[in-house]
Amino acid sequence: MKLNKYSVGVGDRFAHQAKAQLQACVKALEHGVEVVPVWNKSNREHSIIGSDPTSVRAAADAAVQALGWKLPYFCDADHITAETVERFLAPCDFFTFDVAEFIGQPAEAEEIESFVKRHPELHGSIELPGADQAFEITRDQLQQTAEKFLAAVKKAGEVYRIVLGAKGAGNFIPEVSMDETDRAQTPVELLIILAAIADERIPVETIAPKFSGRFNKGVDYVGDVAQFEREMALDVAAIAYAVRQYGLPENLKLSVHSGSDKFSIYPAINATMKRFNVGVHLKIGLAEAGGEGLALAKEVYGEALKHMEELCAPYATVIDIDPAKLPSAEAVRGWSSGEYTSALRHVEADPAYNPSLRQLLHVGFKVAAKMGPRYLKLLEANEPVIAKNVTENLFDRHIAPVFLGR
Ligand SMILES: [Zn+2]
């Protein structure tokens, strides 16, 4: 089992859109580009909705069957740890070990020392083929980076071995994620982290660093796009070096956890992939569904507003909501369908577009989940419209700019 060069991670919170999402990969194939789907749903999302990982597997299998998809596809146990992995073991074949919370935790002094000793190649000047600059790493820097990340990498090893014991070598795709943290990892840190991952004997196929800039849920990238592109290029060069130097899998690539709608960096991602002839795993999460019924949508907003603090807490590092920009529930109740859609739909040029409202609704799905059958019935009633939106949105706004370069 091996992850393809191009892959897209999609979320399907209510297990109703897998076919529509797969249809977008079918469209990519019709354009001559293989982009394989990975259905991801984090433990956090399952807990909030009250769903189980087997539902993701069932929806994925059914979609693949219905559309006759012949290429690989995967189910991702997204952002799991040793504590939460258990129920993902049977249905999943892609595991994202989230070790962000262990960054900065102290590792054993002798482990740090032996890491630094084991890697003399990591201090001094490292030439990276294809990169604009060499890495200059001092011994102190190597030591400090090991101090900061070694415990986190050990945690990745711990959960990797749990999955290995349950599924066997080669039967799943391992990803290591460090994206949900406040401080970005530099390309130099990424290289040192990869050396530690190789020491832990994790055959990692995708790695999700925290890039600089903000990756808030459902809204565009906030940051310097040129800086992102320079950083991504150095990350890619560091990965290529680590693959050769440490015998990591040949197909190891970056996983960009976009949190959806990072349109402004898509051209940079495409350009970097072309420049280095590498792939990427674009973990979108949820692309916009749309057309879910105005009255219900307003109700969801009102409830989300009321429970804003509790809804936002688990996503603190990946949202930036300005409460002053949120209209009152009463104001929204008076909106027309057009007003609601313009505020919600991600069109930067539209003055009515409201990123704070959009982010709140992006994390407010717990409210919809609580509505239970009423919400699901509505999803089903609107299935043809929603499906068309999902496919078009996923293909035109995400897959085409990243993988087809247009
Ligand atoms: Zn993530």
Side-chain angles (χ1 to χ4, degrees), residues 155-174:
K155 284 286 182 185
E158 211 175 280
V159 53
Y160 167 69
R161 285 183 290 275
I162 294 174
V163 181
L164 183 65
K167 304 203 69 92
N171 295 325
F172 62 97
I173 311 292

Side-chain angles (χ1 to χ4, degrees), residues 116-169:
V116 172
K117 270 206 196 119
R118 198 162 50 245
H119 293 288
E121 79 286 359
L122 283 176
H123 43 99
S125 184
I126 301 174
E127 291 287 343
L128 302 167
D132 301 332
Q133 61 191 86
F135 284 175
E136 308 291 341
I137 309 176
T138 64
R139 203 191 144 92
D140 273 359
Q141 205 180 352
L142 179 58
Q143 165 103 15
Q144 281 157 15
T145 307
E147 277 167 9
K148 189 163 175 207
F149 293 101
L150 214 50
V153 173
K154 297 260 170 211
K155 284 286 182 185
E158 211 175 280
V159 53
Y160 167 69
R161 285 183 290 275
I162 294 174
V163 181
L164 183 65
K167 304 203 69 92

Side-chain angles (χ1 to χ4, degrees), residues 44 78-79 96 98 175 177-180 208-209 217 255-259 283 318:
R44 178 173 61 194
D78 197 14
H79 286 281
T96 300
D98 183 348
E175 167 163 327
S177 78
M178 307 189 158
D179 62 306
E180 294 204 355
K217 296 282 183 193
S255 174
V256 181
H257 289 203
S258 77
K283 205 176 277 198
V318 282

Side-chain angles (χ1 to χ4, degrees), residues 96-307:
T96 300
F97 312 132
D98 183 348
V99 295
E101 64 175 302
F102 306 109
I103 295 172
Q105 289 195 0
E108 302 281 339
E110 66 241 42
E111 275 173 2
I112 291 163
E113 202 187 323
S114 81
F115 177 84
V116 172
K117 270 206 196 119
R118 198 162 50 245
H119 293 288
E121 79 286 359
L122 283 176
H123 43 99
S125 184
I126 301 174
E127 291 287 343
L128 302 167
D132 301 332
Q133 61 191 86
F135 284 175
E136 308 291 341
I137 309 176
T138 64
R139 203 191 144 92
D140 273 359
Q141 205 180 352
L142 179 58
Q143 165 103 15
Q144 281 157 15
T145 307
E147 277 167 9
K148 189 163 175 207
F149 293 101
L150 214 50
V153 173
K154 297 260 170 211
K155 284 286 182 185
E158 211 175 280
V159 53
Y160 167 69
R161 285 183 290 275
I162 294 174
V163 181
L164 183 65
K167 304 203 69 92
N171 295 325
F172 62 97
I173 311 292
E175 167 163 327
V176 175
S177 78
M178 307 189 158
D179 62 306
E180 294 204 355
T181 180
D182 282 324
R183 220 188 114 265
Q185 292 109 39
T186 65
V188 165
E189 286 173 331
L190 181 66
L191 176 58
I192 297 169
I193 289 164
L194 287 171
I197 287 175
D199 286 352
E200 271 301 297
R201 302 166 145 273
I202 305 169
V204 64
E205 290 189 40
T206 55
I207 177 114
K210 163 84 179 78
F211 298 98
S212 40
R214 293 284 298 178
F215 285 73
N216 295 327
K217 296 282 183 193
V219 296
D220 208 344
Y221 176 72
V222 181
D224 179 346
V225 175
Q227 155 76 11
F228 170 84
E229 187 165 353
R230 281 192 299 276
E231 190 178 295
M232 182 177 172
L234 288 175
D235 282 345
V236 168
I239 285 174
Y241 176 89
V243 166
R244 273 196 328 276
Q245 183 74 29
Y246 306 116
L248 287 167
E250 287 284 338
N251 62 334
L252 171 60
K253 62 180 177 177
L254 282 174
S255 174
V256 181
H257 289 203
S258 77
S260 204
D261 287 24
K262 300 301 171 285
F263 304 133
S264 64
I265 57 169
Y266 285 176
I269 294 176
N270 179 267
T272 310
M273 287 198 296
K274 279 197 186 123
R275 177 176 160 197
F276 290 90
N277 186 26
V278 295
V280 79
H281 180 54
L282 179 70
K283 205 176 277 198
I284 293 180
L286 202 70
E288 187 168 4
E292 284 159 38
L294 185 60
L296 200 76
K298 288 174 175 176
E299 195 178 327
V300 169
Y301 178 73
E303 284 298 303
L305 194 61
K306 222 185 282 172
H307 301 285

Side-chain angles (χ1 to χ4, degrees), residues 15 30 56 97 132 147 155 168 187 214 236 280 296 298 325 333 341 349 356 367 372 380 387-388 402:
E30 287 164 4
V56 175
F97 312 132
D132 301 332
E147 277 167 9
K155 284 286 182 185
R214 293 284 298 178
V236 168
V280 79
L296 200 76
K298 288 174 175 176
K325 300 256 164 68
R333 263 198 300 278
T341 312
S356 288
V367 171
E380 278 153 21
K388 188 168 173 286
V402 170

